[in-house]
Amino acid sequence: MDSIKVIAFDADDTLWVNEPFFREAEDAFCGLLEEYLPVHSTTRELFAVEMRNLPLYGYGIKAFTLSMIETLGRVTDGRAHFKLVERTLAIGRDMLEKPVEVLDGVEDTLRQLARSHRLVLATKGDLLDQERKLEKSGLARYFHHIEVMSDKREVNYRKLIAHLDCSPEQFMMVGNSVKSDVIPVLELGGYAVHVPFHTTWIHEEATYELANPKFLRAEKLTELLNHLS
Ligand SMILES: [Mg+2]
């Protein structure tokens, strides 16, 4: 791992709490529609709408809010009172105003690694919302570069690595999603570290091969320090 020059970090559920806010919002939204449909059916309908909208809307809270409104229309067959639309919008707006809870040991790990490596933030989601969270987190000072990506596939990482003027062998990605943070980077020949979070969005779930010598699994972000410093 001596070749590693750049360490890129996923943000949501790697540096700070995110997915539980989505689950909370989803529960609140399904609660609004209980008289029309059981909660689990609304959840399934919402997920289907989100997946259909993903190529057009991308990731993040605004896209999620639009998908909730579309689901509201479908579930109520277009008969939902505008009050319900307003309450749905309020659920989305509340999400945008959540406090940022930085995970344990994150700041200390970044501070130490920033002495020896170039650190990058590589995240999906809304640009404005990610900037807000980074600002609130107080972690911005540790990063040389912030990249808000429309997606995290091989092609997106290839562009990022080229932009950072390094080779895949000099690049390590750290994140909670095997599908977005680990597999595409290993495929490119880079290093990847999976730091699991207790809640994972079903869209981010994936199985993976443990045998890759450039792959690490860490229970906590602080474990990185044992490998890299
Ligand atoms: Mg994440």
Side-chain angles (χ1 to χ4, degrees), residues 101-116:
E101 291 174 38
V102 175
L103 296 171
D104 272 356
V106 164
E107 177 152 19
D108 202 40
T109 305
L110 294 178
R111 186 187 300 115
Q112 293 194 51
L113 290 176
R115 291 183 196 136
S116 48

Side-chain angles (χ1 to χ4, degrees), residues 10 12-14 176 181:
D10 167 57
D12 292 338
D13 301 318
T14 298
N176 71 300
D181 303 317

